[in-house]
Amino acid sequence: MRPNFWSRFALSELNHSEWEALCDGCGSCCLIKYIDEDENGDVDEELVEYTDVTCQLMDCTTGYCQHYDTRQEHVPDCIQLTMDNLPQMMWLPSHCAYKRLYKGQNLPSWHLLLTQDAVVTQQQMRAANVGVAGRCVSETGMSDEAMEERVISWVKLDNTESY
């Protein structure tokens, strides 16, 4: 990867490994969410509701996908974030590096690309109340009605908090 690629190049100029390195591994995008669109098909971020229910591939203890590289083989409708679909995905959490860089903001101070230390990053993410590890449940065997009762407020969509 090129040094400081996130601050030197546009998102569209990143290679695959650089793009993947932007992911902080929080797992929030893997949570089941209720996304309402207006009559034009646009998503109002304020109306997005996250649940603490996650994809069947998520390890709820670690907060990591158990089959990340082959996730679409297991879950065909798993979203693969790309530069092309990023503008339609502003429902991502406010700490998301992809969303932040797209909006011209800096990486969160705890991001692995800045700390260069996975333990420090994980500790600082927990301190910032970021990530699904230890606080999600699998969708496996859960009814739609039960999921609707599990809406949470700890995933922040706006930038009222600084990271």
Side-chain angles (χ1 to χ4, degrees):
M1 290 187 284
R2 298 171 287 185
N4 299 323
F5 65 85
W6 61 91
S7 61
R8 296 178 44 229
F9 300 97
L11 287 171
S12 60
E13 298 174 309
L14 302 184
N15 63 43
H16 178 75
S17 61
E18 291 167 341
W19 180 266
E20 289 293 319
L22 290 177
C23 179
D24 61 20
C26 76
S28 296
C29 59
C30 300
L31 293 172
I32 306 293
K33 56 202 90 40
Y34 298 105
I35 301 174
D36 289 327
E37 297 177 347
D38 64 18
E39 60 278 354
N40 298 323
D42 296 322
V43 173
D44 182 348
E45 287 179 45
E46 295 180 22
L47 299 179
V48 174
E49 293 182 306
Y50 276 77
T51 70
D52 66 351
V53 181
T54 191
C55 167
Q56 62 187 327
L57 298 181
M58 178 64 69
D59 179 326
C60 289
T61 302
T62 65
Y64 294 113
C65 181
Q66 298 175 67
H67 299 285
Y68 181 77
D69 291 334
T70 59
R71 65 193 183 280
Q72 267 125 1
E73 293 173 24
H74 300 276
V75 181
D77 63 346
C78 176
I79 295 170
Q80 183 162 355
L81 184 62
T82 66
M83 188 58 221
D84 291 335
N85 65 12
L86 179 58
Q88 290 79 47
M89 299 178 71
M90 290 298 105
W91 48 259
L92 291 165
S94 61
H95 66 268
C96 176
Y98 299 101
K99 180 177 179 175
R100 294 181 66 81
L101 293 176
Y102 179 80
K103 290 185 161 194
Q105 301 165 341
N106 295 323
L107 291 177
S109 61
W110 43 259
H111 199 285
L112 181 60
L113 290 169
L114 300 176
T115 68
Q116 298 292 305
D117 185 325
V119 173
V120 168
T121 290
Q122 289 175 350
Q123 290 170 342
Q124 291 180 4
M125 284 175 71
R126 278 191 212 101
N129 203 26
V130 170
V132 302
R135 57 183 181 170
C136 62
V137 295
S138 175
E139 69 178 334
T140 304
M142 189 172 295
S143 69
D144 290 342
E145 294 78 22
M147 281 187 221
E148 290 175 11
E149 301 296 319
R150 301 193 66 97
V151 171
I152 47 101
S153 61
W154 44 263
V155 175
K156 304 298 181 199
L157 302 178
D158 61 19
N159 287 322
T160 56
E161 297 182 40
S162 62
Y163 293 104

